[in-house]
Amino acid sequence: MKGWLLAALLASATLGVPAQPATAPAGAGGAANFDAVFQQVTGPTSMDMTFEAYDADLDRLRVLLPPGDTARDLRFRSVYCGSSRWKDPARGLAYTDDAIRRAKAAGDTASEARALFCRSTFVMLLFGTRQSLAEADKMVTLLQNGTERQLYAEALMLRGGLYSDLGEQAKALMDFQRARAGFRAAGIDHEIDFLLMKIAVTYRRIGDFAQAERYFTHSVARGQDAQDWDRVVSDLIQLGYLYDESGALAKSRESFERAVALSLQHKNVLDAATARVGLASTQVTQGEFEAALATLAQAQAEFKSEQSNLHDDMLLLVAGQALAGKGQFQEALLRYRQALPLIQKDGNDRYLALLYKAQSASEEALGRTADALADFKRYSELQTSLQGKMRLEQSRLLEYEYEIRRRDFENRRLRAEADSRQQQVNALQRVRHWQTLALLLGAVLALMLAWLAWRQWKRSRRLRTLAMTDPLTGAASRLAIEKIADRALATAQQHGAPLAVLLLDLDHFKQVNDGYGHPAGDAVLRDTVQAWQTQLRGRDALGRIGGEEFAVVCIGATQAQALVIAHRLLEATRTLRLPGIDPALRIATSIGVAEAAPGETREALFARADAALYRAKQRGRDRVEC
């Protein structure tokens, strides 16, 4: 039940007094009964338990523990640290550390690993996610060469969840896939719902909303069929955030409101409060600032009634956004300052970037230009880092998936070879069946050829993808950006929609290469493209068409809208700093803008944008012309 344990402890973490383990009365139960309940708590059935059933079994273990039985006392401590009765994380951590020391002294690896699971959770509550990851690593290392396959899978699931929270989605998915294999090796022949939910969260965080939505909606349906309302509420909350991030605000609001209603119906106050925080965030996005503050007040009261401070950072951040929406910028800044150390402690850069952006806007509204600029720079740096990490994670994910398929193919090949050898032995033993053997071998050969053909097709497809990307900057190649422009132009002309093109050329770039060397010039190109990517809309396409020349296809943009985008790119170039090359180095660009005319070809459109770029160069560079 370790996968659910993490969520249970997070939901029940409070500032109250811990419920200490009681001493079992003599003769209250036997060793056999203890072992049977312990198997329920740690075996395959534990993975499908509700929180209430898990806690009830822990209480039964406490009563059944034979007095003076050191070995069973170790096992009991290793799971009782996961009870939601621990109201104070610091006291829970002390109890867990004692359990770890006892297990190490007795050489009980499984009990040590289970207690490490608890330790990771308590460390996260007290010190943040990044420190918790180190504890999860210890658990994985301890179990990876052992025989406890289910426990090893649970450790991988825990570590994968922490990787995902810290933005390392490729590593998270690798751990989740290994966990799935570990559960199968442990004899669990069905999918673990909590693991599927964590996989869906990871897909949401890398922007694969369609894949994540399929996981969550399927899980909601299964939870409703099983009447597992805790799981349904958890999935609805995740769907709410998914729809909020993908811009489907009506669906987001509906999901959060359903989660609140179900939580209250089943008397789960903490889940109701958690769902209200997400609902308030969506209300802020919709401009309903008073409603958002009212929702947050309800959530705060519910958290207070349960003595939980788990979501204080998000309560403060969203409250600040709502106050800023009402024009109460001074009050908003107070909330942001209170939220900052809490978010920094947890190490969540996504929320930190949101805070800096919101704080910068309020400071600007109050005329505190220097503070606003400093916070906006922090936001821009974090956003650039997050987007770069996202692209890296997506690239790593592709590499990992390729490696998984390669290993799978190798295993299949080895199995096919083994099958073939066995068939040959059988053929020698049973000459009468030689025709059947020939057919079987022919079928295996056909499958192998089909597999090799499929692999070649996949390899060709990957090479084509590489050809469509500029290897230096990561932008689209010239061939790719021209194809994008052709498709966009055809669509725009078919539907009567606007389309604009920007042509950009870095000013005096030859001086950078001559003065600092070509490696420095390459670094300038990469950093400039990264800075531009942060300023483009999601549907804008950036491509490299020459040495220091680039093109942006602005789908659905008029000339006026394209000019706004161009000025953002111009400003991003001006503010770009390159301390690794020369702190005093400044980069500028000239930009030509052209909006597509009815019936115009791509060549003609690019030619007009190029003419505008030429005018920008002639009129002094570092400017936009149309």
Side-chain angles (χ1 to χ4, degrees):
M1 192 55 188
K2 298 297 187 189
W4 287 104
L5 168 63
L6 178 60
L9 280 175
L10 285 172
S12 63
T14 69
L15 300 177
V17 179
Q20 296 291 346
T23 303
N33 289 336
F34 178 92
D35 292 344
V37 177
F38 187 81
Q39 177 60 25
Q40 285 181 207
V41 168
T42 60
T45 57
S46 70
M47 302 310 300
D48 300 312
M49 278 185 178
T50 63
F51 302 154
E52 293 80 7
Y54 185 71
D55 267 344
D57 275 348
L58 291 182
D59 288 340
R60 290 178 62 199
L61 279 179
R62 181 168 54 86
V63 173
L64 293 169
L65 178 62
D69 190 330
T70 304
R72 287 183 174 83
D73 181 68
L74 282 178
R75 281 181 272 165
F76 168 75
R77 290 173 180 274
S78 74
V79 293
Y80 193 80
C81 62
S83 170
S84 62
R85 295 181 182 277
W86 291 101
K87 301 299 183 182
D88 181 352
R91 297 287 293 274
L93 181 59
Y95 179 86
T96 299
D97 285 344
D98 180 63
I100 292 173
R101 283 192 294 271
R102 292 169 184 257
K104 280 185 177 179
D108 187 342
T109 301
S111 293
E112 181 185 352
R114 291 188 179 97
L116 275 172
F117 198 112
C118 298
R119 190 173 207 285
S120 177
T121 303
F122 287 127
V123 166
M124 176 165 55
L125 294 170
L126 292 167
F127 308 111
T129 306
R130 196 165 295 281
Q131 290 194 44
S132 176
L133 179 61
E135 304 301 322
D137 275 330
K138 292 177 186 176
M139 186 180 178
V140 171
T141 301
L142 184 65
L143 294 167
Q144 62 186 357
N145 296 320
T147 58
E148 294 280 348
R149 303 322 297 164
Q150 178 183 330
L151 192 54
Y152 178 57
E154 292 175 48
L156 288 168
M157 185 164 62
L158 168 66
R159 190 176 70 175
L162 297 172
Y163 273 138
S164 179
D165 290 342
L166 291 170
E168 299 189 49
Q169 310 305 336
K171 289 182 179 179
L173 285 175
M174 282 297 294
D175 271 355
F176 293 149
Q177 294 302 331
R178 289 170 182 159
R180 292 174 89 174
F183 287 129
R184 287 194 294 271
I188 300 175
D189 59 0
H190 63 280
E191 293 285 8
I192 305 302
D193 291 321
F194 185 74
L195 176 57
L196 292 180
M197 189 269 282
K198 299 301 287 184
I199 292 172
V201 170
T202 303
Y203 276 121
R204 172 175 69 81
R205 288 172 174 168
I206 62 175
D208 192 345
F209 297 122
Q211 181 83 323
E213 184 180 19
R214 283 194 293 272
Y215 270 100
F216 285 130
T217 52
H218 178 67
S219 184
V220 166
R222 288 183 53 173
Q224 288 173 333
D225 291 341
Q227 295 189 336
D228 186 349
W229 303 115
D230 287 330
R231 172 175 146 202
V232 172
V233 168
S234 178
D235 289 332
L236 285 172
I237 291 173
Q238 290 298 332
L239 272 173
Y241 282 115
L242 182 152
Y243 289 134
D244 183 70
E245 291 169 7
S246 61
L249 298 181
K251 288 185 175 181
S252 173
R253 185 167 187 157
E254 179 187 0
S255 295
F256 284 128
E257 288 174 344
R258 283 182 62 195
V260 171
L262 272 175
S263 298
L264 295 178
Q265 180 183 341
H266 295 280
K267 297 180 173 56
N268 191 328
V269 178
L270 280 174
D271 277 354
T274 302
R276 288 191 203 276
V277 174
L279 175 59
S281 179
T282 299
Q283 288 170 328
V284 168
T285 306
Q286 291 178 315
E288 298 178 15
F289 307 116
E290 284 290 352
L293 289 171
T295 301
L296 289 171
Q298 289 178 293
Q300 190 170 21
E302 289 165 336
F303 282 129
K304 185 176 181 180
S305 72
E306 296 296 310
Q307 298 180 310
S308 174
N309 64 347
L310 183 62
H311 293 283
D312 282 357
D313 52 351
M314 290 307 297
L315 282 170
L316 290 165
L317 175 58
V318 179
Q321 292 171 328
L323 289 167
K326 293 180 62 180
Q328 298 175 14
F329 301 109
Q330 199 66 48
E331 292 84 350
L333 286 176
L334 176 61
R335 303 299 192 283
Y336 297 148
R337 282 194 291 271
Q338 292 171 332
L340 179 59
L342 300 177
I343 296 174
Q344 287 175 326
K345 173 186 172 183
D346 193 55
N348 192 315
D349 286 344
R350 293 181 295 119
Y351 290 151
L352 191 59
L354 288 175
L355 184 143
Y356 282 137
K357 183 180 181 182
Q359 191 165 268
S360 173
S362 291
E363 288 165 341
E364 183 178 18
L366 291 171
R368 292 163 52 177
T369 308
D371 291 340
L373 180 59
D375 277 331
F376 187 81
K377 285 183 177 178
R378 293 186 185 101
Y379 158 72
S380 182
E381 290 168 359
L382 270 175
Q383 193 69 6
T384 300
S385 173
L386 286 168
Q387 290 181 349
K389 184 183 286 186
M390 180 70 73
R391 287 191 291 271
L392 179 61
E393 290 299 312
Q394 290 171 342
S395 174
R396 284 177 176 170
L397 180 58
L398 289 174
E399 293 174 2
Y400 290 158
E401 288 179 343
Y402 169 76
E403 181 63 17
I404 289 171
R405 291 191 178 97
R406 187 191 66 78
R407 290 178 182 176
D408 184 55
F409 171 74
E410 184 66 17
N411 290 336
R412 291 181 184 219
R413 184 185 65 80
L414 292 172
R415 285 196 297 269
E417 289 178 355
D419 289 344
S420 177
R421 285 193 294 270
Q422 185 61 45
Q423 290 295 338
Q424 290 172 1
V425 170
N426 291 340
L428 293 174
Q429 293 174 344
R430 300 191 302 269
V431 177
R432 291 176 303 169
H433 299 152
W434 65 269
Q435 291 178 326
T436 303
L437 175 60
L439 291 174
L440 288 172
L441 289 174
V444 170
L445 180 59
L447 286 173
M448 291 294 293
L449 290 173
W451 174 262
L452 291 171
W454 179 84
R455 187 177 68 169
Q456 185 63 33
W457 174 79
K458 292 288 285 185
R459 183 177 297 170
S460 300
R461 190 175 177 183
R462 287 185 63 214
L463 291 173
R464 182 177 180 275
T465 299
L466 290 173
M468 300 298 281
T469 304
D470 176 46
L472 175 61
T473 65
S477 66
R478 182 185 186 107
L479 175 63
I481 198 66
E482 287 178 348
K483 287 189 175 183
I484 291 170
D486 286 337
R487 287 195 299 269
L489 191 58
T491 302
Q493 291 175 350
Q494 180 181 355
H495 298 287
L499 174 73
V501 167
L502 316 180
L503 290 186
L504 306 91
D505 187 276
L506 296 184
D507 298 331
H508 304 299
F509 184 72
K510 185 176 183 300
Q511 296 177 8
V512 175
N513 279 332
D514 293 344
Y516 298 95
H518 287 281
D522 290 347
V524 168
L525 291 174
R526 283 192 297 269
D527 290 353
T528 302
V529 166
Q530 288 183 4
W532 287 347
Q533 291 282 19
T534 66
Q535 305 300 320
L536 294 176
R537 305 171 305 166
R539 53 186 171 172
D540 297 333
L542 171 64
R544 185 182 180 195
I545 59 176
E548 64 270 23
E549 297 179 29
F550 297 85
V552 178
V553 178
C554 301
I555 298 172
T558 62
Q559 180 170 291
Q561 292 168 328
L563 285 170
V564 172
I565 297 169
H567 281 288
R568 287 209 304 264
L569 299 179
L570 191 70
E571 186 61 26
T573 311
R574 290 170 176 167
T575 57
L576 182 63
R577 297 296 177 263
L578 301 156
I581 301 173
D582 182 350
L585 179 60
R586 297 294 180 267
I587 305 300
T589 187
S590 299
I591 306 176
V593 180
E595 180 181 355
E600 188 172 28
T601 65
R602 186 250 305 163
E603 290 82 0
L605 175 60
F606 270 58
R608 288 198 295 111
D610 191 54
L613 172 61
Y614 180 77
R615 288 194 296 275
K617 292 286 188 183
Q618 291 297 309
R619 294 175 182 176
R621 295 183 169 84
D622 191 24
R623 59 187 293 122
V624 178
E625 292 290 339
C626 57

